[in-house]
Amino acid sequence: MVMAFLRSKEEERVIWMALVSRLVTTGLMAIQDGLFEDLSTSAHLQYYPCNTGNVHEYDSSPTVGYMERLVEEFVPWDGVYFMRIAQCGYESDQIFAFFPLLPWLMRGGGWLFGMVYRALYSVEEKETPMHLVRMVYGLTGVGISMVAFCGAALSLYRLGLLVVRNKSIVWLSTVLFCWNPASVFYSAVYTESLFAFCTWTGLVLLEQVQRIGDGRYWTCIVFFVLASLCRSNGTLAVWFLLHLYVSNMLRGYTPSILAKVKHGIMTCLGCACVCAPYIGMQVYGWMVFCRGQAQQPEWCQARFPSIYGYIQQKYWDVGFLHFYEKLIRLPFVVQSIPVIALSVSACWTWTFFSIQRACTLSLVPFDSASWYIDRVRGTKQRLEYTSCILEPRIGPFVYHLALMTAVATLVMHVNVATRFLSSSPLLFWYLAQRMLNGSALQQYLIWTWLFSYIAVGTLLFPNFYPWT
């Protein structure tokens, strides 16, 4: 049935390759988790009853059975918080760092299981074994990540055909995504797969939009909203909406004043919808912790109160250059150098090919980069790969990746850059272009980087050791 939605044999190959990569990664996680003992974890937090206050204050782990331990092995690190939200909702301020779409879907899986269980065994809701419900939450999360990853790979392939328009680059970039260095997070109860699927599907639809306000435009908005419900950086999708509107005006696609105003209103509505989940989280946090409280947290007194910004700084020490203050974090900086270097190189290559074009945010049309073949010495095929990455239509993705790279390097914990920047399609297009143009040694080094990070990640991550 799934294959009926695919348009070609190549798309079937994309789905199969994505599925195989997830099975391999998940298998490696299970094997290496079974072979090695876990580091001290916070996985026990999911076992406390709901509404117990700040579960971090407990000094000991509750007694749990075999089934709970089985789930725990596949839900490390942030997955614990998603499990907790699915089970109990937003109990404490720290949990507001995690957005609700994935927990909602996990809770939906648990609800379906509970309904079937009660029908089969004729029991009340309170009699449904909670350890089984938690297991279903975890399995639902893993299943969602696998399905969403396959969808993300397909959307990346289709987006490449629309933007890059070179089948060699498009196919190789999809292969690189399936074996990307952050693969372990795309197989766990994390938002990486779901976020990539929603964002890239929205971008595919946006590239197919004939005019602002048509059916595909609003469907694109829906996917961008879902991406914003996954993660806070989903709000960056407003850049693509604004870029489409301004470029349409500058190129005369909206000739009448009335059409310009109409399209402007629709663009503003679209941007408001995309930002609504983030704003909604801040409002909800304010209502829970600030409204009517005798003792309010300090962030409630801010002119524009933001629980998200507050907890990122309080619990994770997120801030400008904060990550570099401790020498012990140096290995994490080294670990992120490859992806940071590739991202900077991709943005640099496109930007300095035409400074004039870059200064207009690629909004003002200039000559196509196809004339690059006549300007630079080299084989025609090799220059064809390079010119695809230099086209003006790549521009919106360049600025999107540049902003994400700057934030990851200067503000966030730089060790998450590998998985954070993997949500940019340009990263894989550029990497594919470098491999097609590069020497055998360069190709070997890139594949070594990818598979070594997968091997180490599937060892450290499920055993609760720090990894990206």
Side-chain angles (χ1 to χ4, degrees):
M1 183 179 294
V2 174
M3 296 303 176
F5 294 97
L6 304 181
R7 304 169 186 169
S8 65
K9 290 291 184 181
E10 287 76 12
E11 292 191 351
E12 290 186 22
R13 291 171 61 197
V14 168
I15 294 295
W16 282 114
M17 178 174 57
L19 183 59
V20 168
S21 71
R22 291 314 90 202
L23 293 175
V24 170
T25 305
T26 304
L28 287 173
M29 289 173 64
I31 292 171
Q32 301 202 81
D33 182 71
L35 292 176
F36 300 94
E37 185 176 351
D38 288 353
L39 189 67
S40 179
T41 77
S42 60
H44 65 277
L45 301 183
Q46 61 187 292
Y47 304 128
Y48 290 107
C50 295
N51 300 316
T52 54
N54 186 359
V55 294
H56 286 274
E57 296 176 355
Y58 286 85
D59 296 325
S60 59
S61 301
T63 302
V64 297
Y66 172 77
M67 299 300 291
E68 289 96 331
R69 294 298 182 191
L70 181 63
V71 174
E72 179 183 310
E73 306 304 333
F74 292 92
V75 191
W77 292 103
D78 290 355
V80 174
Y81 292 98
F82 291 120
M83 287 279 287
R84 188 70 183 178
I85 296 169
Q87 180 181 345
C88 304
Y90 288 88
E91 300 176 290
S92 64
D93 59 350
Q94 184 176 1
I95 295 182
F96 274 79
F98 305 94
F99 279 49
L101 182 59
L102 180 58
W104 283 349
L105 295 175
M106 293 165 63
R107 183 179 294 179
W111 177 79
L112 288 174
F113 167 78
M115 193 167 57
V116 172
Y117 184 90
R118 290 190 293 273
L120 290 175
Y121 294 95
S122 301
V123 297
E124 297 295 329
E125 182 176 357
K126 62 181 180 181
E127 298 177 290
T128 306
M130 198 58 214
H131 69 276
L132 292 181
V133 176
R134 277 196 294 263
M135 183 181 68
V136 173
Y137 286 158
L139 293 176
T140 301
V142 173
I144 289 170
S145 289
M146 282 198 170
V147 173
F149 183 88
C150 294
L154 180 61
S155 293
L156 178 63
Y157 180 79
R158 290 177 174 175
L159 182 62
L161 293 177
L162 292 168
V163 178
V164 180
R165 303 176 188 177
N166 181 288
K167 286 192 173 182
S168 297
I169 292 180
V170 171
W171 173 253
L172 182 55
S173 64
T174 308
V175 173
L176 293 170
F177 170 68
C178 288
W179 302 101
N180 77 79
S183 271
V184 65
F185 298 97
Y186 286 87
S187 298
V189 184
Y190 267 59
T191 56
E192 267 65 22
S193 290
L194 192 58
F195 180 77
F197 168 69
C198 294
T199 302
W200 295 349
T201 303
L203 289 172
V204 169
L205 293 167
L206 192 64
E207 288 293 329
Q208 296 172 338
V209 166
Q210 299 298 320
R211 61 181 178 82
I212 295 176
D214 66 12
R216 285 182 175 174
Y217 181 80
W218 292 113
T219 308
C220 153
I221 298 297
V222 169
F223 278 98
F224 284 162
V225 170
L226 291 175
S228 293
L229 281 169
C230 278
R231 282 162 51 175
S232 60
N233 59 306
T235 55
L236 295 181
V238 300
W239 156 248
F240 294 100
L241 301 177
L242 294 172
H243 189 277
L244 173 66
Y245 173 67
V246 177
S247 62
N248 281 358
M249 284 204 307
L250 292 177
R251 295 172 186 179
Y253 295 159
T254 52
S256 68
I257 298 297
L258 181 61
K260 287 182 172 65
V261 173
K262 179 182 176 182
H263 291 177
I265 293 174
M266 290 182 177
T267 300
C268 290
L269 286 175
C271 292
C273 290
V274 174
C275 294
Y278 179 84
I279 297 174
M281 287 290 290
Q282 311 316 304
V283 173
Y284 179 51
W286 184 87
M287 293 176 66
V288 171
F289 297 102
C290 302
R291 188 179 65 173
Q293 300 294 326
Q295 293 184 339
Q296 297 181 345
E298 58 186 76
W299 64 269
C300 294
Q301 312 302 324
R303 184 174 183 179
F304 298 103
S306 171
I307 186 172
Y308 183 81
Y310 170 75
I311 60 180
Q312 287 287 351
Q313 182 178 15
K314 177 182 177 181
Y315 294 105
W316 285 280
D317 192 31
V318 172
F320 184 69
L321 299 180
H322 283 194
F323 191 80
Y324 303 97
E325 293 175 353
K326 299 179 180 178
L327 189 61
I328 195 173
R329 294 172 174 173
L330 182 60
F332 298 120
V333 177
V334 174
Q335 172 191 333
S336 301
I337 287 177
V339 72
I340 296 291
L342 281 168
S343 300
V344 171
S345 179
C347 298
W348 179 280
T349 300
W350 186 90
T351 300
F352 286 89
F353 176 77
S354 174
I355 298 293
Q356 186 180 19
R357 179 184 64 182
C359 289
T360 66
L361 300 180
S362 192
L363 290 169
V364 178
F366 289 92
D367 292 337
S368 169
S370 59
W371 60 274
Y372 181 79
I373 294 176
D374 301 323
R375 177 180 168 186
V376 185
R377 301 175 63 182
T379 64
K380 183 175 181 179
Q381 187 177 47
R382 180 175 180 177
L383 294 174
E384 179 185 348
Y385 296 142
T386 305
S387 65
C388 292
I389 301 300
L390 298 175
E391 290 289 349
R393 57 180 174 268
I394 302 291
F397 300 91
V398 172
Y399 294 102
H400 181 256
L401 178 58
L403 177 59
M404 291 176 62
T405 304
V407 172
T409 307
L410 302 176
V411 180
M412 297 172 56
H413 286 194
V414 72
N415 59 306
V416 305
T418 303
R419 60 186 173 98
F420 180 68
L421 298 179
S422 67
S423 62
S424 170
L426 176 59
L427 181 66
F428 299 103
W429 296 336
Y430 179 73
L431 192 57
Q433 178 263 327
R434 290 296 297 264
M435 290 189 70
L436 290 170
N437 283 346
S439 63
L441 176 60
Q442 187 176 21
Q443 295 174 10
Y444 172 78
L445 291 175
I446 291 175
W447 284 119
T448 300
W449 171 54
L450 299 180
F451 286 114
S452 63
Y453 272 50
I454 292 175
V456 177
T458 53
L459 169 63
L460 298 181
F461 178 74
N463 289 296
F464 282 88
Y465 284 84
W467 180 248
T468 67

